[in-house]
Amino acid sequence: MSDLQSSVATAEIDLTGTRKGGVAHVYERNVPMTTRDGVNLHADIWRPAEGKAPTLVVRTPYDKGASAIGGGPATTMPALISLINAGYAVVVQDVRGSFESDGDFTPKVNELTDGDDLMAWLAEQDWYDGTVGAFGASYLGMTQWSLALSDRPGLKAIAPTHTAANWHSDLWYSQGGALSLSVVTFWHALMYASEEQRSLGRGESTDMSALLRLGGAILDPLPLYESTPVASLPILGTGRWFDEWLAHPDFDEYWKAQDWSARINEVTVPALVTGGWYDLKVHGSVADFVRIRTHGATKEAREHSRLVIGPWDHMNVSCSYPDRYFGTLAAEDLTALHVEFFDEHLKGISPETPAPRVRIFVMGIDQWREETDWPLPDTRYTDYHLTSGGSANTRDGDGTLQLEAPGAEASDEFRYDPRDPLPTAGGALLPDTPGLIGPVDQRVIDSRPDVLCYTSPVLTEPVEVTGFIELKVFVSASTVDTDITAKLVDVFPDGRAINLCDGILRLRYRNSLSEPELMTPGHVYEVTVPMSVTSNVFLPGHRIRLDVSGSNFPHYDRNSNTGGVISSEALEDMIVADTTIHHGGTCPSRLVLPVIDR
């Protein structure tokens, strides 16, 4: 590993006035580290001017020099200063192929070895006290899981925020196999624009046209969503990892090699897992916590990992949306949580009051609550059965949810046309466009005939739902493949219908994400639609509603319904699907809710 080069910029900064016990630090810019294959990665470092300190690491593809390093609210400059003043050295490194670091950027591929090399490099520094923690959100959280899979000594704790270890079905594709179109196209435009900017800055290119096209797509991503075939989006180009991801829609060996969730049983250190109910990775965040809590490699990892979930989306914790306000208490000081967590596990300073294992914001009552574990120990999974008189279409239809299983069989039908997909109205996705993300009043779309609404009677008692949600439904279609979407909605007394969580199942993946099977038109199948996770109290006067349809666009790509390779099909290749939801009698379609009786 290379030593500090003489060209490294250094400056001494005195932060003693901003926190009791603070010390003078040295700031070193663009400190190089050479990887095992000879690539120089660069980091900005804040370290004590004298002596040693425990080290906190951030590894980012979003520019270590940015004022808000990227990946969420926990990595702003004020947050970094708070951690420095808490007595930590902080190392923020551009990952391979991004901004100041050399090499080629390919998402996730080099993070295991590069993270391991960084740990080895830290062990050589005279200011390093032998203990390391890591923090950051989104991609920065994923790089923490890579550090936790290293066998290097020194790592004591990680704090992954708004992230997931499984990149296939917890991010780029859904739990039900559909492509997460908006985030995939938007993120690729963002990362390819960074590549172009880097190339121009280094004098490797003088052509601004690609950067201008990509910048325009970031500001107005709608053309990215509308263009088909998805695999031929000209603005994203060809020959890079975008092509690879679309070439592997199944959860095959390509994705399994990148699925670190399957290796969480190797993790020896505790994790402070933070997420948001409207974050696109919340399913993975909670599932990863459960994995380390139950299968972590050490008692320390299992007993001291923590989970914090607020009413947030991927990019902010402001908790204020046009259609739903969660109150001033919904915001959380994530930096203070990080300081407390790292003080305990890197410095051995136990908090005056033991931190709760689980801390969640319960929507509906809009209150924070501490829990002993996840799933909540008193969870009672309850079936809410779908029933209707055959006309559940729109919010004014006759679809109902009831606790008793209906004896009579009935069905409801909707038509899904890929040329007129149901628009996305809220949910856990990117980009953070108002009306597209978070809690949104469903009255903007629920009058369409391609939405089936199943609604409970008006509640006389509160009903709390906290946990993973799923729809078990009997379905048939006129085509060999199509999609089923499901959305949990809280209907307020004033008529507002606020989405809580949702999911989608690409029916070719009804039995396995790895081995797709086409359907026989007209045949009835029992399938499970995963609907992610939430926590909400449906108050008296409210109603519980399930919305079912065949699309959620552009959150997910449109199914062509042909059974072919969807990403390679143009709009004119796609066909209409008539889908039937069967319920009652021998087809007990039901919404399974984790009910908490308190």
Side-chain angles (χ1 to χ4, degrees):
M1 305 298 170
S2 64
D3 295 326
L4 301 185
Q5 298 176 349
S6 58
S7 61
V8 171
T10 63
E12 188 168 303
I13 52 177
D14 186 357
L15 301 173
T16 55
T18 56
R19 185 181 188 273
K20 185 177 179 181
V23 297
H25 276 65
V26 169
Y27 167 62
E28 297 175 317
R29 183 177 179 277
N30 276 341
V31 178
M33 179 206 83
T34 304
T35 65
R36 65 191 67 184
D37 59 346
V39 175
N40 281 325
L41 309 183
H42 289 81
D44 291 348
I45 297 176
W46 293 260
R47 61 173 179 81
E50 297 180 358
K52 299 178 182 291
T55 301
L56 300 180
V57 169
V58 176
R59 302 192 64 249
T60 177
Y62 303 125
D63 187 4
K64 61 180 173 54
S67 59
I69 294 163
T75 44
T76 61
M77 283 307 301
L80 292 184
I81 291 173
S82 295
L83 292 165
I84 293 165
N85 284 331
Y88 293 95
V90 176
V91 175
V92 183
Q93 185 182 69
D94 286 330
V95 302
R96 180 185 296 239
S98 69
F99 293 89
E100 300 290 345
S101 288
D102 297 335
D104 297 320
F105 177 70
T106 303
K108 205 172 187 178
V109 169
N110 296 295
E111 305 308 350
L112 284 170
T113 54
D114 288 354
D116 184 66
D117 288 348
L118 175 60
M119 291 291 294
W121 180 86
L122 285 172
E124 299 175 356
Q125 308 312 305
D126 56 11
W127 44 264
Y128 171 65
D129 80 341
T131 57
V132 177
F135 69 100
S138 197
Y139 195 102
L140 289 63
M142 183 275 300
T143 59
Q144 293 175 62
W145 287 115
S146 71
L147 288 176
L149 293 173
S150 169
D151 59 359
R152 299 277 181 182
L155 187 70
K156 300 299 182 183
I158 61 174
T161 299
H162 294 180
T163 199
N166 181 340
W167 268 36
H168 179 269
S169 46
D170 282 329
L171 180 55
W172 307 124
Y173 288 83
S174 74
Q175 286 287 316
L179 177 70
S180 299
L181 180 68
S182 62
V183 64
V184 167
T185 51
F186 177 79
W187 191 80
H188 278 83
L190 181 69
M191 298 310 295
Y192 289 170
S194 296
E195 284 189 343
E196 294 294 335
Q197 183 179 4
R198 182 169 179 262
S199 179
L200 289 164
R202 294 186 169 202
E204 299 166 355
S205 172
T206 59
D207 184 1
M208 290 277 296
S209 59
L211 179 59
L212 292 174
R213 287 197 306 273
L214 290 163
I218 294 168
L219 293 173
D220 179 18
L222 184 60
L224 289 177
Y225 310 148
E226 294 291 349
S227 181
T228 60
V230 175
S232 300
L233 287 175
I235 200 166
L236 296 182
T238 57
R240 290 183 277 187
W241 66 85
F242 178 73
D243 300 346
E244 292 186 5
W245 292 4
L246 294 184
H248 296 272
D250 308 337
F251 185 54
D252 58 12
E253 295 305 317
Y254 173 85
W255 290 110
K256 291 176 182 177
Q258 302 181 47
D259 178 17
W260 297 346
S261 67
R263 298 183 57 188
I264 286 179
N265 63 324
E266 302 173 30
V267 174
T268 62
V269 301
L272 170 60
V273 178
T274 306
W277 298 127
Y278 293 98
D279 175 40
L280 71 160
K281 303 181 187 180
V282 65
H283 182 283
S285 295
V286 178
D288 290 342
F289 170 78
V290 173
R291 291 183 185 103
I292 196 168
R293 171 80 181 97
T294 56
H295 296 99
T298 63
K299 182 178 180 181
E300 177 78 2
R302 295 189 298 272
E303 294 298 323
H304 293 280
S305 289
R306 294 168 54 189
L307 176 67
V308 178
I309 307 287
W312 314 316
D313 61 58
H314 192 66
M315 294 303 295
N316 74 81
V317 292
S318 67
C319 315
S320 180
Y321 300 91
D323 294 337
R324 182 70 166 88
Y325 178 56
F326 293 106
T328 57
L329 297 179
E332 188 80 339
D333 187 349
L334 297 184
T335 303
L337 289 177
H338 283 62
V339 170
E340 179 186 78
F341 183 70
F342 290 132
D343 279 355
E344 180 178 3
H345 296 292
L346 274 69
K347 296 180 180 179
I349 303 173
S350 298
E352 293 183 6
T353 302
R357 178 171 288 139
V358 174
R359 178 172 163 81
I360 58 173
F361 187 88
V362 183
M363 299 180 289
I365 57 173
D366 294 351
Q367 296 176 7
W368 285 99
R369 198 171 70 202
E370 298 179 357
E371 297 288 345
T372 60
D373 215 341
W374 186 281
L376 276 56
D378 52 346
T379 302
R380 176 171 55 87
Y381 291 97
T382 303
D383 292 342
Y384 281 75
H385 294 270
L386 282 61
T387 185
S388 77
S391 301
N393 309 73
T394 81
R395 62 174 177 266
D396 298 319
D398 61 8
T400 61
L401 285 177
Q402 60 184 47
L403 292 171
E404 302 81 16
E409 294 188 12
S411 63
D412 300 291
E413 185 175 301
F414 64 86
R415 170 164 288 195
Y416 158 55
D417 184 348
R419 294 162 187 80
D420 183 26
L422 184 69
T424 295
L429 68 159
L430 276 178
D432 53 345
T433 305
L436 202 67
I437 191 170
V440 171
D441 190 343
Q442 298 302 294
R443 288 181 293 185
V444 297
I445 60 170
D446 63 13
S447 62
R448 287 177 48 129
D450 54 351
V451 181
L452 305 181
C453 298
Y454 299 92
T455 310
S456 76
V458 174
L459 300 175
T460 58
E461 300 289 337
V463 176
E464 179 182 336
V465 172
T466 297
F468 289 103
I469 317 293
E470 62 183 20
L471 171 65
K472 293 185 178 295
V473 63
F474 289 78
V475 59
S476 62
S478 62
T479 54
V480 296
D481 187 35
T482 193
D483 292 343
I484 294 292
T485 66
K487 184 180 297 181
L488 181 64
V489 178
D490 186 350
V491 182
F492 285 60
D494 62 6
R496 280 180 300 149
I498 302 298
N499 57 297
L500 297 169
C501 61
D502 62 74
I504 186 170
L505 175 66
R506 186 142 291 168
L507 286 171
R508 67 176 71 183
Y509 297 118
R510 63 193 180 277
N511 295 320
S512 169
L513 290 174
S514 301
E515 299 177 3
E517 301 173 51
L518 297 181
M519 302 187 297
T520 300
H523 183 81
V524 178
Y525 299 90
E526 181 181 13
V527 302
T528 299
V529 184
M531 296 174 60
S532 194
V533 63
T534 195
S535 180
N536 184 74
V537 173
F538 294 86
L539 297 170
H542 289 230
R543 291 176 292 163
I544 303 170
R545 195 175 87 189
L546 168 72
D547 291 356
V548 177
S549 189
S551 53
N552 184 350
F553 179 84
H555 188 176
Y556 303 110
D557 65 335
R558 33 186 153 207
N559 196 326
S560 63
N561 300 324
T562 66
V565 179
I566 296 171
S567 64
S568 66
E569 292 180 300
L571 196 59
E572 54 267 26
D573 300 323
M574 302 182 184
I575 61 175
V576 172
D578 291 311
T579 303
T580 302
I581 302 299
H582 305 263
H583 46 74
T586 59
C587 298
S589 293
R590 66 266 187 208
L591 174 66
V592 184
L593 297 181
V595 174
I596 310 299
D597 292 322
R598 295 286 173 93

